[in-house]
Amino acid sequence: MGEKDKGKLVVLIGPTAVGKTKLSIELAKKLGGEIISGDSMQVYRGMDIGTAKIQKEEMDGIPHHLIDIKDPTDSFSVAEFQLIVRERIDEIHRRGCLPMIVGGTGLYIQSVIYDYQFTENTSDPEYSDSLEAIAATEGVLAVHNMLREIDPESADRIHPNNIRRVIRALEIFRSSGLTMGQYQEKQETELVYDTVLIGLTMERDILYDRINLRVDHMIDNGLLEEVSALYNKGVKECQSIQAIGYKEIYEYLDGKISLAEATQQLKQNSRRYAKRQLTWFRNKMNVRWFDMTEANQGRFNQMLDEILKYIAGKLKI
């Protein structure tokens, strides 16, 4: 497929609390855009405050996709994300609008914009069935420990209860001899769309202050009540509750730590996550970075104009 045949796509990435939401709305208004959430946790219904999900009134009439499409007990994979998002991109193009992916889940976004193949050649149904049988009889930890022996990096990243992904990593190793990380690195790096990749960054001290303040606002705005509602419904031992903002409060609700300790852990985990996000984007994607430090200090409109000019130049619009 030639470059002229590829649909246009804007991708706006950056760490948590850097200011993606506000900027994305203004960009979408100027560009005739529709926004696709690039956050692996905003797909879950009833998980609004802890995922910093955009509120209806904040959308300012801009259509948003991939928000509230799953129950908290559902699993959600990068392959499913890729499939749904590419369908949404095609739909948005057909409406004559510009699709914009906005978020911070690096691998998920990468799977959409690059030629990631989730092909059958690494699938082994017989092996997969045998692993599911082990999980059923000996528990999910038994299968997770099998993964840890051959691929400790993936074992650290994948929760034991996300059994489908654990089995997937084991399948990949059995069929290819590669760990999941090695397999992903081998994926094609050709862009599927005519893509402009914009990254937002900020001076670390200011970003960390914003993260700490955001957590305080979450607590003030009802995070404890939101998480307690899930806890009381018996939403446990599932993928969604491993999200930052939920696992810490669950520790408190289990009586393991105080609310003050849970809040501090939430702040620390959020800061660490922001650092990991920036490292991932810088190592894995060819991003044009814009420093939002000054935008945060009164130069928002100038920063918006600068980014609009960059997008127009790259996409020839």
Side-chain angles (χ1 to χ4, degrees):
M1 185 190 285
E3 191 73 19
K4 66 182 185 299
D5 302 315
K6 296 180 179 181
K8 298 183 190 302
L9 175 68
V10 171
V11 178
L12 180 66
I13 58 175
T16 186
V18 78
K20 296 185 295 294
T21 300
K22 180 183 177 183
L23 184 72
S24 68
I25 295 294
E26 296 307 316
L27 287 174
K29 282 197 233 171
K30 301 277 189 185
L31 297 166
E34 295 189 22
I35 292 172
I36 300 168
S37 170
D39 185 298
S40 63
M41 290 297 165
Q42 291 188 354
V43 296
Y44 291 111
R45 289 182 278 267
M47 297 176 65
D48 303 337
I49 299 169
T51 63
K53 198 178 289 176
I54 188 169
Q55 301 301 300
K56 201 80 176 170
E57 58 271 18
E58 292 178 287
M59 293 180 185
D60 214 359
I62 300 297
H64 280 66
H65 305 267
L66 260 80
I67 292 174
D68 295 338
I69 62 170
K70 292 278 183 180
D71 288 326
T73 49
D74 294 336
S75 61
F76 189 58
S77 69
V78 64
E80 188 176 0
F81 179 85
Q82 182 197 61
L83 181 68
I84 298 172
V85 170
R86 286 184 177 173
E87 286 173 354
R88 292 289 190 282
I89 288 171
D90 290 345
E91 289 168 13
I92 294 166
H93 281 148
R94 284 197 294 272
R95 283 195 286 274
C97 296
L98 178 66
M100 298 172 53
I101 300 177
V102 180
T105 307
L107 175 62
Y108 280 59
I109 295 171
Q110 200 177 15
S111 77
V112 171
I113 65 175
Y114 296 111
D115 192 20
Y116 263 45
Q117 303 287 333
F118 296 99
T119 54
E120 292 300 311
N121 62 7
T122 56
S123 180
D124 186 340
E126 193 174 316
Y127 180 56
S128 176
D129 288 347
S130 72
L131 293 172
E132 285 181 10
I134 292 170
T137 55
E138 299 177 34
V140 293
L141 274 176
V143 182
H144 194 259
N145 286 335
M146 292 170 66
L147 177 61
R148 185 167 295 285
E149 285 180 22
I150 55 108
D151 185 359
E153 186 183 328
S154 293
D156 285 341
R157 198 172 61 246
I158 304 171
H159 193 271
N161 292 325
N162 192 354
I163 189 64
R164 187 167 71 172
R165 197 149 175 243
V166 173
I167 289 174
R168 180 74 185 128
L170 284 163
E171 275 188 309
I172 287 171
F173 187 80
R174 182 182 172 93
S175 62
S176 67
L178 301 172
T179 66
M180 185 177 263
Q182 290 166 340
Y183 180 75
Q184 287 164 352
E185 281 177 19
K186 278 191 68 179
Q187 298 285 325
E188 292 293 327
T189 54
E190 183 192 351
L191 286 164
V192 176
Y193 305 99
D194 183 6
T195 305
V196 57
L197 265 169
I198 295 157
L200 304 184
T201 186
M202 189 173 281
E203 288 177 16
R204 181 171 291 185
D205 288 347
I206 295 174
L207 180 64
Y208 284 2
D209 285 344
R210 282 169 64 94
I211 289 170
N212 292 338
L213 192 60
R214 173 183 275 192
V215 171
D216 289 335
H217 285 162
M218 286 177 174
I219 298 293
D220 292 343
N221 291 333
L223 179 62
L224 181 57
E225 291 77 7
E226 176 175 278
V227 181
S228 295
L230 296 168
Y231 185 90
N232 293 332
K233 282 180 188 171
V235 180
K236 296 177 185 176
E237 305 294 319
C238 53
Q239 183 179 343
S240 63
I241 300 307
Q242 299 312 308
I244 295 170
Y246 296 85
K247 61 185 178 182
E248 296 87 358
I249 303 296
Y250 263 56
E251 291 262 291
Y252 161 67
L253 294 171
D254 282 335
K256 294 176 181 174
I257 56 176
S258 69
L259 182 57
E261 287 170 324
T263 304
Q264 285 307 117
Q265 280 190 19
L266 174 46
K267 289 178 178 178
Q268 184 181 64
N269 288 340
S270 297
R271 294 192 301 266
R272 286 175 175 167
Y273 179 56
K275 187 178 178 183
R276 289 199 306 273
Q277 285 175 300
L278 282 166
T279 300
W280 171 279
F281 294 137
R282 285 179 173 139
N283 290 343
K284 303 277 188 180
M285 292 179 172
N286 185 21
V287 178
R288 167 68 162 86
W289 291 97
F290 291 86
D291 191 325
M292 295 296 286
T293 305
E294 289 189 18
N296 188 43
Q297 297 168 346
R299 284 193 66 249
F300 181 84
N301 288 333
Q302 293 97 314
M303 185 63 67
L304 176 64
D305 288 343
E306 193 179 328
I307 293 172
L308 281 166
K309 282 176 191 167
Y310 178 73
I311 292 171
K314 288 289 283 184
L315 296 183
K316 299 175 177 61
I317 55 176

